[in-house]
Amino acid sequence: MIGEGDAMGFEEEYQTFMNAHLQARTGERLRRLQEGHQHAEMLFLKQVWWPLFHHFRYLHPEYEVDDFKDGKRYLDFAYIRPAIRICFEIDGYGSHLKNISRWQFSDSLERQNQLVIDGWTVIRFSFDQVQEKPRRCQQIVQQVIGRWLGDELDQTTLSLVEKEVLRLAIRKGDAISPIEVENHLKLSDKTVKKVLSLLVDKKMLIPESGIVRVRSYRLGDQVKNPIRANK
């Protein structure tokens, strides 16, 4: 869940995000955005995406792609950056799923397979997952996008040990503890404390729990939003 201040920020950015896409579209692409973007899609942005990134850059709602049957289909969300294309689908559970034919079920699987063949990473959430387990959905989003962020770390001036600590946090998709870093990198307690402290100073990590003795750390905005960090 997001706090009141974050909620206000979300509403403003969400309206800006949607208006920009509505103004840029015409014809069928506009109609699909108006009719296809509903409560489930908005809830995904509010409870999963926004708490992670606090922006909607590189995200495209109701994104049009060529269908394997020479037609068009629309993805709930497409996250597109150089060398990465991720499809996020939010599936509701309704009567239409109970009545779907075996042919329609097979056709749906074939469409997803074709996306993968075309170079897309496909991530699917149910509406219930988004509504009731948003933190788990956040972890999955962070992990899949973290594959790209992990590669980006190689372009920084961080030390090898600092990069490996951040990759550990990215892969886990949750807070990491000093003992996890010690066990993963086979380092001493003293060395781990020093590395974690350096990463906090660089705003790459943020203390998650503990004051005098920090027990866990989470990724900072410098890692989650590398474009912002480089400006």
Side-chain angles (χ1 to χ4, degrees), residues 52 136-149 169-174:
L52 279 176
R136 178 55 186 149
C137 297
Q138 290 172 16
Q139 290 172 341
I140 293 172
V141 170
Q142 184 174 327
Q143 287 170 332
V144 69
I145 293 182
R147 292 168 54 189
W148 181 86
L149 294 178
I170 288 169
R171 284 195 298 271
K172 186 178 180 185
D174 203 353

Side-chain angles (χ1 to χ4, degrees), residues 96-113:
H96 67 286
L97 289 180
K98 298 177 184 178
N99 299 325
I100 190 172
S101 69
R102 298 178 75 165
W103 166 248
Q104 289 172 317
F105 178 68
S106 297
D107 185 64
S108 175
L109 295 180
E110 188 170 1
R111 289 171 184 269
Q112 179 168 316
N113 290 342

Side-chain angles (χ1 to χ4, degrees), residues 53-67:
F53 302 105
H54 287 85
H55 67 73
F56 303 117
R57 292 195 295 274
Y58 318 112
L59 199 63
H60 305 267
E62 291 297 317
Y63 186 77
E64 182 184 275
V65 296
D66 291 329
D67 189 77

Side-chain angles (χ1 to χ4, degrees), residues 166-191:
L166 293 177
R167 285 195 173 95
L168 175 63
I170 288 169
R171 284 195 298 271
K172 186 178 180 185
D174 203 353
I176 58 171
S177 66
I179 191 65
E180 286 180 292
V181 178
E182 288 179 36
N183 293 337
H184 180 68
L185 297 179
K186 311 300 182 187
L187 297 173
S188 68
D189 173 70
K190 183 177 180 180
T191 300

